[in-house]
Amino acid sequence: AAAAAVVVAGLAWRKLRGRSEEEAVLEALKRIDRAHQAPFSKPNELEYCAAVERWAVRLRRLAGEEISTTLRLGARAQHLERGAIPRKSYPEGRDPYLRWREAVKKRQGQRVEEILSDLASSLGRSSVSRVKGLVAKSLPLRPHTAMSKGGGSDSLQAGDAEMQCIEDAACLVFLEQELKDGFAEGKDDAKMVDIFQKTWRKMSRLAHEQALTLEYSPRMLGCIAMAIAEVEAPPCERSRSLLPVPALSEETRQVLADTWACCISTSYADWGEAWYEELCQSPGYADELGKVLSFPVCRAENIAKTVAELISLLPATEEDQTTALDIGGASAPKSHFAQLLRAAALLAQKQVGLRLRHLDPLRVALVAAACKKGAAGLSGPDAEKRCSRAWEAFSYAVGGQIAPLLMLSDPTEDFAGAVATALPTPGAVPCAALLAANGLGLVEMSLRIVQRKRQGTGLPSGGEAISSEVVVELGAWRSSACRAAGADAHAYCGFLAAAVFDTGGEERLARRARWTRRCTKQPLIVADFALRGLQAAEVAVDQVKAGARSAIGDLIAGGSLLLESARLALKMADMNLEGASKGDMEDLLQQARELHEHCETLAGAWHRAVGRS
């Protein structure tokens, strides 16, 4: 019997040793699949790993390569016997949780090594060791953040490509399947945004592209957009305060809900295609907008889902937006409506070149498609009119969030193109604000030239300290004037949304007064900063003439722009104040009178100073 056992063992050994690599791989996959069906394995463990493997195959092919044996086995063995070490065997809390995770990963690596040990002669011992590292996740990742730092060839090779492929595949399975299986249930938007941020940071650019082709619910699509913007947008853009959203009347919000239900009665994609049809009729679609919207995530159904999410997020009152909400460790206003629009605008601007001049055709197509598809959801002789006004109001509520962001970052030519569109912003006040910003910049430049010449020639400093102080102030005023341009765009769009196109509700007059006040404050702010700059220019005339004669022309040009900016801004404020209730606007009326007087006094002093030059 002992001799027979030795013979059988010898035959088995020769059989194992004689396996081809292909046979060994098939045997390894069968063993891994059996292990996934162990009593302490998690439910659907085998299906999960098969999905990870499918994504790994797809990602390697998209990268121009076929999947290797080690990557296939490593992907198939993900989450191997995950329930073997129960979570309850460790205490509650984050640190114990992390220790439990490490223990699970370590055991999974050891377990797959054990499963493959007698196949090592066919697979190769180094391959078995590598599969162990892929399953235990002990190899370094190569996410997009690591690839983008440093810029050299070394940074491009940092990390392990196959380990990153498995991480990408796992993230894509999460986005594609686990979200549909109820993962987000019981988690608020802030939690989901935080989870998506962490997921996005772990993924490669190739996986990012694939993630944007997947199907999401309207809510998850909004959360993903906000998460991506938090990761990808420059810190200066992310840190900007969110702007108030016009609180549309209950009647208007109901019209939007009823007509939107009719719009998507067939499918989200059906309305999205209708929107694209309307957009194709706009001039320049083929040359510009078609390219802007060629981004994978901009497919028809996602456009419709974004609209659906925005409608659901419309605040009932402005007070609804004041509660703080913690997202990713930073306090932010509660208005997810504003957050979602800022995220979408930042991503579209960065990824596909969205510009302010594109906003009007996008808005017009929105209103037209909504009315064509949705008016049937209303009854009564004025159904089409009510539908149109509600969607016009909604479109300007959207524009009030996007226009200020795009306005402050558009190149000069794009800003001028946006002024020329039928969208009534940017109008006179943003133009006056940027006129003031340029005037302030010219005055600032003139004083900097004086400073540099004094430092270079060793001349007595004289008023240099004063000039340095003024230069700092001019820079701050210039930034404030630019922000006022965006603030006016927001105020005017809010006025159109809440007080012109939204005619419902007893509070309409209160909404009109509130947004008229906001529209009036901005030109007064612009005039104030322009006059501060003009006063600085008037004081600096003699100083520039003595210290940098070549800069006197720039100083005169700057002062002249500031004077015209102040006069234009005050004229716009006067138009808003005409017919306004004194009780609501008395303080602004008084401020306007004082600025007018100050403007004429400074104009006289400025002309005398220029005459001396």
Side-chain angles (χ1 to χ4, degrees), residues 63-130:
E65 301 176 17
E66 289 299 320
I67 191 169
S68 69
T69 296
T70 53
L71 180 54
R72 181 181 293 280
L73 295 175
R76 189 73 152 260
Q78 290 300 298
H79 285 192
L80 186 65
E81 299 178 349
R82 199 178 189 189
I85 303 178
R87 172 66 183 92
K88 63 183 179 181
S89 62
Y90 284 73
E92 292 297 320
R94 179 161 180 77
D95 288 341
Y97 168 77
L98 294 175
R99 292 198 302 274
W100 168 73
R101 285 282 304 272
E102 287 303 313
V104 169
K105 289 189 289 186
K106 182 177 180 180
R107 183 196 178 279
Q108 289 170 336
Q110 293 170 341
R111 182 74 179 100
V112 77
E113 183 181 38
E114 176 186 320
I115 290 172
L116 303 179
S117 60
D118 62 349
L119 298 174
S121 59
S122 298
L123 297 174
R125 296 194 180 281
S126 61
S127 294
V128 172
S129 178
R130 183 164 179 77

Side-chain angles (χ1 to χ4, degrees), residues 89-262:
S89 62
Y90 284 73
E92 292 297 320
R94 179 161 180 77
D95 288 341
Y97 168 77
L98 294 175
R99 292 198 302 274
W100 168 73
R101 285 282 304 272
E102 287 303 313
V104 169
K105 289 189 289 186
K106 182 177 180 180
R107 183 196 178 279
Q108 289 170 336
Q110 293 170 341
R111 182 74 179 100
V112 77
E113 183 181 38
E114 176 186 320
I115 290 172
L116 303 179
S117 60
D118 62 349
L119 298 174
S121 59
S122 298
L123 297 174
R125 296 194 180 281
S126 61
S127 294
V128 172
S129 178
R130 183 164 179 77
V131 172
K132 176 184 178 182
L134 291 173
V135 174
K137 294 183 170 59
S138 59
L139 303 177
L141 291 174
R142 189 194 290 184
H144 75 281
T145 49
M147 294 175 65
S148 63
K149 291 179 181 178
S153 58
D154 291 341
S155 67
L156 291 176
Q157 299 303 317
D160 188 281
E162 291 191 338
M163 187 74 261
Q164 184 60 51
C165 184
I166 286 181
E167 186 66 44
D168 286 341
C171 290
L172 289 165
V173 171
F174 164 65
L175 294 173
E176 182 181 45
Q177 294 185 8
E178 293 183 54
L179 289 182
K180 293 180 181 179
D181 294 339
F183 177 86
E185 292 178 8
K187 300 178 180 69
D188 62 18
D189 286 1
K191 180 64 176 177
M192 291 307 304
V193 169
D194 184 54
I195 290 171
F196 289 143
Q197 283 182 41
K198 294 171 181 174
T199 303
W200 194 257
R201 287 191 176 99
K202 292 189 292 185
M203 297 166 71
S204 68
R205 287 302 186 199
L206 178 60
H208 287 167
E209 293 173 7
Q210 296 307 302
L212 294 176
T213 67
L214 300 177
E215 182 179 346
Y216 303 102
S217 69
R219 180 190 167 215
M220 290 300 98
L221 183 63
C223 288
I224 287 172
M226 287 188 278
I228 297 173
E230 286 295 317
V231 175
E232 302 283 358
C236 60
E237 296 291 354
R238 299 199 305 266
S239 62
R240 284 183 182 168
S241 298
L242 297 177
L243 300 169
V245 180
L248 303 182
S249 67
E250 183 178 355
E251 177 184 335
T252 293
R253 285 183 281 113
Q254 189 60 53
V255 170
L256 290 171
D258 293 342
T259 54
W260 183 246
C262 193

Side-chain angles (χ1 to χ4, degrees), residues 138-429:
S138 59
L139 303 177
L141 291 174
R142 189 194 290 184
H144 75 281
T145 49
M147 294 175 65
S148 63
K149 291 179 181 178
S153 58
D154 291 341
S155 67
L156 291 176
Q157 299 303 317
D160 188 281
E162 291 191 338
M163 187 74 261
Q164 184 60 51
C165 184
I166 286 181
E167 186 66 44
D168 286 341
C171 290
L172 289 165
V173 171
F174 164 65
L175 294 173
E176 182 181 45
Q177 294 185 8
E178 293 183 54
L179 289 182
K180 293 180 181 179
D181 294 339
F183 177 86
E185 292 178 8
K187 300 178 180 69
D188 62 18
D189 286 1
K191 180 64 176 177
M192 291 307 304
V193 169
D194 184 54
I195 290 171
F196 289 143
Q197 283 182 41
K198 294 171 181 174
T199 303
W200 194 257
R201 287 191 176 99
K202 292 189 292 185
M203 297 166 71
S204 68
R205 287 302 186 199
L206 178 60
H208 287 167
E209 293 173 7
Q210 296 307 302
L212 294 176
T213 67
L214 300 177
E215 182 179 346
Y216 303 102
S217 69
R219 180 190 167 215
M220 290 300 98
L221 183 63
C223 288
I224 287 172
M226 287 188 278
I228 297 173
E230 286 295 317
V231 175
E232 302 283 358
C236 60
E237 296 291 354
R238 299 199 305 266
S239 62
R240 284 183 182 168
S241 298
L242 297 177
L243 300 169
V245 180
L248 303 182
S249 67
E250 183 178 355
E251 177 184 335
T252 293
R253 285 183 281 113
Q254 189 60 53
V255 170
L256 290 171
D258 293 342
T259 54
W260 183 246
C262 193
C263 284
I264 58 172
S265 59
T266 305
S267 68
Y268 285 112
D270 185 52
W271 184 87
E273 293 294 345
W275 179 78
Y276 267 109
E277 288 177 11
E278 294 293 335
L279 195 61
C280 286
Q281 299 175 25
S282 64
Y285 175 82
D287 297 330
E288 284 196 13
L289 272 173
K291 297 176 183 177
V292 168
L293 294 168
S294 63
F295 202 42
V297 77
C298 294
R299 60 187 183 275
E301 65 182 277
N302 282 350
I303 298 295
K305 287 178 179 179
T306 301
V307 174
E309 183 67 0
L310 288 170
I311 291 174
S312 73
L313 294 174
L314 275 171
T317 67
E318 287 198 21
E319 288 69 27
D320 287 349
Q321 306 171 51
T322 59
T323 304
L325 180 69
D326 188 72
I327 291 184
S331 182
K334 186 179 180 180
S335 176
H336 283 186
F337 183 93
Q339 285 178 321
L340 175 53
L341 282 170
R342 179 175 69 173
L346 285 171
L347 292 174
Q349 181 187 49
K350 178 181 177 181
Q351 300 290 340
V352 294
L354 180 68
R355 296 289 182 261
L356 183 55
R357 67 176 181 273
H358 300 144
L359 199 54
D360 187 56
L362 295 173
R363 188 195 67 81
V364 170
L366 169 69
V367 175
C371 290
K372 282 186 179 180
K373 289 279 188 179
L378 302 177
S379 59
D382 62 342
E384 290 187 5
K385 182 178 179 181
R386 287 190 292 128
C387 180
S388 176
R389 295 187 75 90
W391 282 96
E392 288 280 2
F394 175 77
S395 73
Y396 280 111
V398 170
Q401 300 298 318
I402 298 177
L405 187 150
L406 297 178
M407 185 181 297
L408 295 179
S409 51
D410 265 7
T412 303
E413 183 179 357
D414 290 319
F415 179 82
V419 172
T421 67
L423 186 73
T425 189
V429 176

